[in-house]
Amino acid sequence: MTERTDAPVEQERSSERCADSETLVSNVGATYAVLAECWREPTEKLVEVAEAGELTPVVGDFGSVDIRDLRTEYTRLFIGPAGPPCPPYESVYRDGSDSDGLGPVMGPSTTAVTRWYDEFGVRLAPDHSDLPDHIATELEFAAYLAKEGFDEYLDQFRDEHLTAWTAEFLTRVENETREPFYEVLAATTREVLAR
């Protein structure tokens, strides 16, 4: 998703941390990174890791997965063809003018998220195809903040962005999905963001 630029980060990292705190930061960052990867379009590698049981400690038990079934469900839920039931973009949930309807992609929320990335010198990689406010992209940025020890900024980003829209998105996923993988992923993501 992202690549680090040489732009300076003016914020100070959290004060000195003990070894236990370093482990916690590492675990939080790893959890966000795993969730981010799971919310991307399914790959053979994801299925391989899932089938080996390596996702279970983070995501939970979702049974067996099939790449074709996951890709079909991913497309149905998040891409379309006729407007997906669960658009994975913050702006859709936050920038609508009607309280009952969804808004457009690339709204003011997208701009706000992009400012966060810019502030920390993080840019979308040239081969990154998702929008800046895609659930996976935001989770990956949260992983970056956690791994770098920007604890206060992680809390602020989570409050200003991730938790401001994901409740509705995750509920839609849970209600719409036909795949246990996405049902468990939605529940786990909700739990992690509530911590």
Side-chain angles (χ1 to χ4, degrees):
M1 170 239 119
T2 57
E3 55 186 22
R4 183 82 174 100
T5 66
D6 291 332
V9 177
E10 294 179 21
Q11 293 84 5
E12 293 290 321
R13 291 190 179 169
S14 296
S15 58
E16 294 297 316
R17 297 182 300 262
C18 66
D20 289 341
S21 181
E22 288 289 342
T23 301
L24 179 62
V25 166
S26 174
N27 289 341
V28 170
T31 298
Y32 280 120
V34 168
L35 291 175
E37 197 58 39
C38 288
W39 283 111
R40 297 203 183 288
E41 189 166 350
T43 63
E44 292 285 348
K45 180 68 175 170
L46 177 69
V47 170
E48 192 178 296
V49 169
E51 288 297 315
E54 295 175 33
L55 294 179
T56 304
V58 175
V59 180
D61 185 19
F62 46 80
S64 181
V65 292
D66 175 79
I67 186 67
R68 187 170 49 211
D69 292 345
L70 281 183
R71 285 181 175 163
T72 299
E73 185 69 345
Y74 182 90
T75 300
R76 187 184 75 76
L77 290 174
F78 310 124
I79 297 174
C86 310
Y89 307 105
E90 178 180 354
S91 58
V92 171
Y93 298 92
R94 296 192 63 197
D95 298 340
S97 57
D98 182 0
S99 63
D100 293 333
L102 298 176
V105 294
M106 298 298 290
S109 295
T110 309
T111 303
V113 167
T114 303
R115 277 196 301 267
W116 268 91
Y117 303 161
D118 290 345
E119 183 70 25
F120 285 85
V122 175
R123 304 279 184 266
L124 298 180
D127 62 346
H128 182 75
S129 61
D130 290 329
L131 296 176
D133 64 337
H134 187 283
I135 180 75
T137 308
E138 290 192 15
L139 286 167
E140 190 171 350
F141 181 67
Y144 164 78
L145 292 174
K147 287 176 183 175
E148 293 297 318
F150 293 119
D151 302 340
E152 288 180 37
Y153 296 107
L154 171 60
D155 291 344
Q156 183 181 352
F157 180 77
R158 190 177 53 234
D159 292 346
E160 286 181 15
H161 293 283
L162 282 164
T163 61
W165 69 278
T166 54
E168 182 179 351
F169 166 71
L170 297 170
T171 298
R172 283 175 174 260
V173 172
E174 290 168 326
N175 291 337
E176 291 287 336
T177 191
R178 299 172 190 150
E179 283 291 326
F181 175 81
Y182 287 111
E183 186 176 346
V184 171
L185 179 61
T188 300
T189 303
R190 178 181 286 108
E191 181 183 315
V192 168
L193 292 177
R195 292 180 192 160

